[in-house]
Amino acid sequence: DQVPGQPDAPHPAPGETADGREQALRVRTALGRLPAPQQEAIRLKFQEGMSYRQIASITGHSVSNVGFLIHVGLKALKGEMA
């Protein structure tokens, strides 16, 4: 499925693809263990690309609380992924 005029895109090695899927599953599992407000704030920030102000508007939390939820949630995720 080569596009004319475009160089061949490098294909990941089979192990790299499996490792990526395994890592994504670990992240989703760890995210699912967080309290719901942290999950929501992290998903809106990183999956939807929203600003803290936008997240605050959607969730009803203050902008500073959104920052706190994301900070604490990411710290917990890092701990689980280590």
Side-chain angles (χ1 to χ4, degrees):
D1 296 329
Q2 184 179 356
V3 176
Q6 296 290 323
D8 288 339
H11 296 285
E16 291 174 356
T17 302
D19 287 345
R21 283 192 302 259
E22 181 180 321
Q23 181 75 2
L25 177 59
R26 287 183 63 214
V27 170
R28 282 193 305 274
T29 300
L31 186 60
R33 291 188 190 117
L34 296 177
Q38 291 175 12
Q39 288 182 40
E40 181 180 33
I42 289 171
R43 285 190 173 117
L44 290 172
K45 176 67 179 163
F46 295 103
Q47 290 180 341
E48 303 299 327
M50 294 183 174
S51 69
Y52 284 17
R53 189 174 307 279
Q54 290 170 316
I55 296 167
S57 176
I58 289 170
T59 63
H61 297 296
S62 67
V63 173
S64 61
N65 190 240
V66 167
F68 175 79
L69 290 169
I70 291 172
H71 172 77
V72 171
L74 290 177
K75 187 174 179 180
L77 288 175
K78 284 181 184 179
E80 283 209 35
M81 301 304 294

